[in-house]
Amino acid sequence: DRNVAGEFSFIVSIPAIVGAFLLELKDLDKVKGVVGAAPLVAGCIAAFVSGYLALAFLMKLIKKGRLYWFAVYLIPLGVLGILFL
């Protein structure tokens, strides 16, 4: 089922996201000296909201089965990534 597969793929990504967050916590002291608390919180909120909206949009695409344009977008992006890395 497309819906279950989409939800499962996002659930599987949670440990990687939490791990990356924990690794970045070690640099928090350096960031606090350069960036104030308010911009840091605003950035976290903006990242959360934009990520949530992007995932909601992608889940709608998965449910409708219209991933063709998403794949067309990713192929050139992947080739450019390989060329420039």
Side-chain angles (χ1 to χ4, degrees):
D1 182 30
R2 292 176 192 258
N3 191 26
V4 174
E7 290 176 4
F8 178 75
S9 66
F10 292 121
I11 289 172
V12 169
S13 71
I14 291 173
I17 294 168
V18 171
F21 173 74
L22 292 175
L23 286 174
E24 291 296 320
L25 278 179
K26 65 181 168 68
D27 297 330
L28 187 60
D29 291 336
K30 297 174 190 173
V31 172
K32 281 194 328 189
V34 177
V35 179
L40 193 59
V41 170
C44 288
I45 292 171
F48 176 79
V49 170
S50 63
Y52 182 80
L53 292 175
L55 290 177
F57 176 70
L58 187 57
M59 284 303 295
K60 283 184 182 180
L61 284 178
I62 289 171
K63 288 177 185 177
K64 291 181 182 179
R66 297 181 182 171
L67 293 177
Y68 175 76
W69 290 110
F70 185 67
V72 169
Y73 157 76
L74 286 180
I75 291 171
L77 189 64
V79 170
L80 287 173
I82 290 172
L83 289 176
F84 289 110
L85 290 177

